[in-house]
């Protein structure tokens, strides 16, 4: 995607260095973070310098490749095993992270060069999948549609294009009129900061709404469809996504509004039979208790927004049951989760 006229990917690797758009600085500052070794890349995943299922998948694949490039001959296997575990320990919920680590780890058994090629291939496939999701999803969008989305599943959450926003970009490019309601997505504000920044950048009409506003807008007929991303999809179609997604799905069902999940098939984890098997990340309570942003003078400050002395609980994801999902938009087509068995579909496509 273009930023100020220059084409950027969210994350890429050149030689031994991994470059990523620093998402902790957005929307206030556009900057590129550089990591020269797998440990730094792991820190960038953990502290959400890069985030979103596809982007952390690519980051994890690149980190594994960096480990192969750096592994000393005298304790090669031990170093690689340690790196693999360290990368897998960064964040637990997004399936793409584990998918990428495993692929690069397995390929790296042939050669370091093969590991690097595999990591680059994962990033390229992420882009191709996102584009395909855009074309399939576009077929669901009528001109004039008001689309609600939660969190950020745009190009910043993938290597390019994104998932939930990819159909919106495709529809907009095709000349359809689209309007996006962007849930602010507390506590980290990925909707208010990142989705809004992306949509501004692409000149797509949108409004940021409080996380609590969606149901009321649905009741007033102001939402035609919901599209969200996914971090992990269980074999039965239950879907883990950013905390707050479940509430939107329940409200959409109540008001008869289609609720779509957009995700590549690399997000499906058949080892999880149902959503109950998905590990939900719990993050630092400070994300709930404090907010960060520029003050009136433009100085970035962290301020407390909760009662002093109170603590907080911060689960980062929730699970939407398949029964609330109208369809899953994948790079291979749209799965009707009420009718299609995901396993059958994956085998068939
Ligand atoms: O914690 P994050 O920001 O990495 O969470 C991931 C997400 O952005 C969302 O849950 C998203 O909708 C799915 S991943 C593209």
């Amino acid at each position: 995607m273009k930023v100020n006229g220059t084409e950027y990917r969210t994350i890429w690797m050149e030689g031994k260095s991994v470059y990523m758009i620093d998402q902790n600085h957005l929307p206030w500052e556009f900057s590129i973070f550089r990591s020269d070794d797998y440990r730094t890349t792991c820190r960038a995943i953990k502290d959400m310098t890069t985030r979103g299922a596809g982007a952390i998948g690519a980051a994890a694949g690149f980190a594994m490749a960096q480990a192969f490039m750096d592994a000393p001959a005298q304790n090669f296997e031990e170093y690689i095993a340690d790196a693999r575990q360290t990368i897998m320990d960064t964040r637990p919920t997004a399936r793409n992270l584990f998918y990428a680590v495993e692929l690069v780890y397995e390929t790296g058994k042939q050669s370091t060069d093969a590991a690097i090629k595999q990591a680059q291939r994962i990033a390229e496939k992420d882009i191709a999948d996102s584009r395909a999701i855009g074309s399939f999803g576009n077929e669901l969008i009528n001109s004039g549609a008001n689309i609600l989305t939660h969190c950020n599943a745009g190009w910043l959450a993938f290597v390019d294009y994104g998932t939930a926003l990819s159909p919106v970009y495709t529809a907009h490019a095709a000349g359809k009129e689209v309007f996006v309601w962007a849930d602010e997505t507390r506590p980290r504000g990925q909707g208010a900061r990142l989705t809004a920044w992306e949509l501004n950048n692409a000149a797509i009409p949108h409004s940021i709404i409080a996380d609590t506003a969606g149901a009321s807008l649905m009741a007033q007929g102001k939402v035609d469809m919901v599209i969200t991303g996914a971090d992990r999809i269980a074999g039965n179609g239950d879907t883990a996504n950013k905390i707050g997604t479940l509430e939107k799905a329940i409200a959409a069902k109540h008001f008869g509004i289609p609720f779509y999940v957009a995700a590549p098939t690399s997000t499906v984890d058949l080892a999880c039979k149902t959503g109950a098997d998905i590990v939900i990340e719990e993050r630092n309570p400070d994300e709930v208790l404090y907010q960060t942003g520029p003050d009136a003078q433009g100085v970035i400050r962290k301020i407390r927004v909760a009662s002093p002395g109170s603590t907080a609980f911060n689960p980062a994801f929730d699970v939407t049951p398949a029964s609330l999902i109208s369809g899953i938009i994948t790079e291979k087509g749209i799965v009707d989760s009420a009718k299609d068995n995901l396993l059958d579909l994956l085998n068939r496509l």
Side-chain angles (χ1 to χ4, degrees):
M1 286 284 177
K2 280 206 164 93
V3 181
N4 300 327
T6 305
E7 196 71 44
Y8 281 96
R9 290 181 175 187
T10 300
I11 179 162
W12 68 97
M13 183 169 73
E14 282 169 24
K16 245 179 58 180
S17 300
V18 178
Y19 298 85
M20 52 196 100
I21 295 174
D22 192 326
Q23 303 197 35
N24 284 330
H25 290 174
L26 284 176
W28 305 291
E29 180 193 312
F30 182 79
S31 61
I32 306 297
F33 178 81
R34 172 177 154 181
S35 158
D36 293 332
D37 58 74
Y38 89 83
R39 286 197 180 83
T40 308
T41 306
C42 285
R43 275 199 297 279
I45 298 172
K46 244 179 149 69
D47 74 8
M48 295 175 72
T49 297
T50 193
R51 38 68 50 203
I56 63 175
F62 288 149
M64 198 68 241
Q66 284 178 311
F68 275 103
M69 287 184 254
D70 274 345
Q74 61 276 24
N75 65 336
F76 190 86
E77 275 171 28
E78 198 189 321
Y79 185 95
I80 291 298
D82 195 46
R84 175 173 170 247
Q85 194 55 51
T86 306
I87 302 164
M88 290 197 301
D89 287 344
T90 51
R91 295 194 69 192
T93 305
R95 164 69 187 148
N96 301 58
L97 185 147
F98 298 86
Y99 160 89
V101 172
E102 284 309 305
L103 270 179
V104 178
Y105 173 75
E106 287 302 325
T107 319
K109 288 177 181 168
Q110 293 162 30
S111 68
T112 294
D113 202 42
I116 296 165
K117 286 205 176 88
Q118 181 67 279
Q120 296 287 15
R121 195 195 64 84
I122 289 166
E124 294 302 328
K125 180 158 169 27
D126 182 271
I127 297 174
D129 288 353
S130 292
R131 288 199 83 151
I133 286 168
S135 330
F136 284 117
N138 174 36
E139 290 166 22
L140 300 167
I141 298 177
N142 295 322
S143 191
N146 297 301
I147 302 165
L148 186 143
T149 192
H150 191 71
C151 194
N152 170 261
W155 67 270
L156 289 167
F158 287 81
V159 180
D160 208 346
Y161 299 101
T163 54
L165 292 185
S166 187
V168 173
Y169 291 134
T170 308
H172 181 72
K176 293 181 190 173
E177 275 181 33
V178 281
F179 180 87
V180 178
W181 297 112
D183 283 352
E184 62 174 340
T185 319
R186 281 275 288 141
R188 289 189 65 95
Q190 289 97 326
R193 294 193 298 112
L194 306 175
T195 295
W197 182 83
E198 275 195 33
L199 294 172
N200 256 327
N201 202 43
I204 293 178
H206 63 281
S207 271
I208 300 165
I209 51 171
D211 289 328
T212 39
S216 168
L217 292 175
M218 290 180 198
Q220 295 170 57
K222 292 183 174 163
V223 178
D224 299 303
M225 66 194 299
V226 180
I227 313 180
T228 74
D231 292 274
R232 194 179 291 243
I233 302 174
N236 71 342
D238 290 353
T239 294
N241 194 52
K242 184 54 58 191
I243 192 81
T245 304
L246 172 59
E247 288 183 3
K248 305 303 162 211
I250 293 168
K253 184 77 162 187
H254 180 80
F255 292 110
I257 293 165
F259 180 97
Y260 288 98
V261 166
T265 49
S266 50
T267 303
V268 176
D269 181 5
L270 297 176
C272 289
K273 289 198 167 42
T274 74
D277 300 320
I278 300 176
V279 177
I280 300 296
E281 177 181 15
E282 209 182 294
R283 293 188 60 88
N284 191 328
D286 278 7
E287 292 182 352
V288 176
L289 301 172
Y290 295 85
Q291 290 284 279
T292 302
D295 65 14
Q297 282 69 45
V299 179
I300 303 291
R301 295 197 191 277
K302 182 176 171 182
I303 56 161
R304 185 157 179 121
V305 291
S307 171
S310 291
T311 172
F313 172 54
N314 187 15
F317 301 94
D318 58 27
V319 175
T320 299
S323 57
L324 298 180
I325 300 171
S326 312
I328 302 176
I329 309 165
T330 76
E331 78 282 11
K332 297 179 175 188
I334 300 171
V335 184
D336 180 339
S337 38
K339 284 198 228 116
D340 291 328
N341 175 299
L342 263 183
L343 181 54
D344 290 349
L345 183 103
L346 290 175
N347 289 336
R348 199 172 69 229
L349 291 172

